[in-house]
Amino acid sequence: MGLLLISKPIALQSISRWCLLFFFLFSSQATWGYANQTNSEFGPLFAPSQSPLQAASLTPMLQDAIWQAGDSEVQASATAASIWGITNELFLDYYHNELRFNYQHAPSKQWRWSMDYRYRFSANNHIDTLTIKFHDAFDIGQNGRDTVPKHQATFRAPSEGLDQSGDSTLSFGHRLTLQLDHAIWSNPYHALSASGALLYSYQPNGPFAHHNFEQSLQLNYRYAPSPKHRWYGMVGVTHRQQTEVLQIRAKAVNSHIALGYLYRWQHNHHLWAQAQVSEGIATHVFSLNKPVYETMLGYRYLYSPRQAIEMVILENWVYYDNSADVAFTLSYRQKF
């Protein structure tokens, strides 16, 4: 049974504990002075969409289109986002948090499979002030955020019968995704693969109670013109059986596209930039029917050839009412 309500101290302690676990694993197996060794390819940084409906749905992400037979990888991540959207039909003001664990294995160069678990919830992560300062520092408009009290939890869409406020510790649900990847073609510079995924999402009770199945298909592309540079591309489509996502009426199908660039600045320091666009999901809420435009900047530190820690910051653009004002993701990755 999933948890519906979690107290603010428990939620914050959970995030803190997982962050401490990342750093413990990160340091306990560290290998120093490996600059002359061969680095494993970790591919794109983990950078999930933080749009309210996309985050609650099966949204394809950038991934590497090539892998080595026998490779296995474990990933753990924590995301904290500040959601703000205000229009004449919608008012969203809450914190979105996510804990994620992923395992993937490639039995051959042609096939790879993965299993991904995520728990999503709303709890006070105290980043409203940081969000406002971040927007001021980069001269990004506040869109009214600085005119309301901080650390609220409001979900309001009158046309959908959604009116939830006051409780900042709500569970959005548990989700399990199984994915299968197939390598289509590759040469020393280019690689192309296809992926199919099946998601089951479950929340037993509360305002966002549901149990849903979704499927996705995507094509993945990698271009490696030199040892320092990597380009990644993805086009994908999601299909869902349910007619609602977060109590908002939803399309059965929506599409996605993303482009990412990795600069391997030094052996153990990598820089990341990404842009992605997802088709809007809502059918009757115009703000959430518009395309979602998101950009990510990230940094990866390779602590050893097979261990990495990543930090990603996400910002929405074009339409400011259908994704996170700002989101931060910390990930630990270990290859075997």
Side-chain angles (χ1 to χ4, degrees):
M1 294 293 289
L3 295 179
L4 168 63
L5 299 179
I6 51 176
S7 67
K8 178 171 68 177
I10 293 175
L12 295 177
Q13 288 172 12
S14 296
I15 295 176
S16 300
R17 286 170 181 168
W18 288 119
C19 289
L20 289 173
L21 176 60
F22 298 160
F23 283 107
F24 172 76
L25 293 172
F26 177 60
S27 59
S28 64
Q29 301 182 40
T31 301
W32 297 95
Y34 76 93
N36 294 322
Q37 299 181 38
T38 301
N39 290 336
S40 293
E41 290 274 2
F42 280 92
L45 276 69
F46 174 67
S49 173
Q50 293 302 313
S51 170
L53 300 190
Q54 270 72 10
S57 184
L58 177 55
T59 301
M61 295 188 301
L62 284 171
Q63 60 185 49
D64 209 340
I66 193 169
W67 52 85
Q68 298 299 314
D71 266 4
S72 296
E73 182 179 330
V74 172
Q75 303 175 17
S77 69
T79 297
S82 178
I83 308 297
W84 171 262
I86 181 169
T87 68
N88 58 3
E89 59 179 354
L90 178 74
F91 181 35
L92 298 176
D93 182 12
Y94 66 97
Y95 291 124
H96 169 239
N97 306 285
E98 180 179 272
L99 298 176
R100 170 184 179 260
F101 302 91
N102 178 283
Y103 174 76
Q104 62 183 32
H105 175 68
S108 71
K109 288 187 175 182
Q110 284 72 44
W111 295 99
R112 179 178 63 185
W113 64 271
S114 65
M115 181 171 59
D116 185 281
Y117 168 79
R118 304 186 197 187
Y119 175 58
R120 301 174 49 255
F121 59 96
S122 173
N124 190 351
N125 55 38
H126 296 278
I127 62 173
D128 268 353
T129 300
L130 178 61
T131 301
I132 292 171
K133 290 182 177 179
F134 175 82
H135 282 201
D136 286 340
F138 290 92
D139 196 26
I140 302 171
Q142 300 293 348
N143 194 29
R145 173 178 283 282
D146 53 349
T147 64
V148 300
K150 299 174 184 175
H151 316 309
Q152 295 191 103
T154 302
F155 311 81
R156 189 170 297 137
S159 67
E160 305 301 285
L162 177 61
D163 189 0
Q164 177 72 29
S165 61
D167 192 342
S168 62
T169 55
L170 288 172
S171 173
F172 296 129
H174 305 261
R175 52 187 289 181
L176 181 66
T177 304
L178 300 177
Q179 180 168 307
L180 184 64
D181 308 314
H182 178 59
I184 298 174
W185 168 79
S186 66
N187 66 25
Y189 299 101
H190 305 273
L192 183 69
S193 71
S195 303
L198 173 66
L199 172 143
Y200 175 65
S201 179
Y202 173 67
Q203 174 57 39
N205 46 30
F208 300 110
H210 67 272
H211 56 91
N212 302 326
F213 284 98
E214 299 183 27
Q215 306 85 37
S216 70
L217 292 172
Q218 67 185 82
L219 285 175
N220 313 294
Y221 171 72
R222 183 183 82 159
Y223 173 52
S226 73
K228 282 186 172 291
H229 304 279
R230 298 285 187 274
W231 288 92
Y232 300 93
M234 178 277 295
V235 291
V237 62
T238 299
H239 174 264
R240 58 188 60 84
Q241 272 77 21
Q242 74 273 20
T243 57
E244 293 183 350
V245 176
L246 293 182
Q247 289 194 11
I248 294 175
R249 286 171 286 180
K251 300 175 182 177
V253 177
N254 70 306
S255 56
H256 320 267
I257 187 170
L259 177 68
Y261 169 69
L262 181 70
Y263 177 54
R264 301 170 72 168
W265 177 35
Q266 296 179 6
H267 287 283
N268 56 342
H269 299 284
H270 298 175
L271 304 178
W272 176 253
Q274 176 180 337
Q276 67 184 33
V277 183
S278 292
E279 182 184 358
I281 292 178
T283 57
H284 291 75
V285 179
F286 181 68
S287 305
L288 299 178
N289 178 261
K290 297 177 181 179
V292 175
Y293 296 85
E294 296 170 312
T295 55
M296 295 86 157
L297 295 176
Y299 167 75
R300 171 186 291 152
Y301 180 68
L302 285 142
Y303 215 64
S304 80
R306 302 184 73 82
Q307 293 173 294
I309 191 166
E310 301 172 350
M311 292 165 283
V312 173
I313 183 170
L314 175 149
E315 178 72 27
N316 69 329
W317 53 294
V318 181
Y319 300 119
Y320 296 103
D321 297 303
N322 65 1
S323 187
D325 259 10
V326 69
F328 304 93
T329 297
L330 174 67
S331 303
Y332 173 80
R333 301 175 67 169
Q334 169 77 58
K335 283 183 175 290
F336 299 97

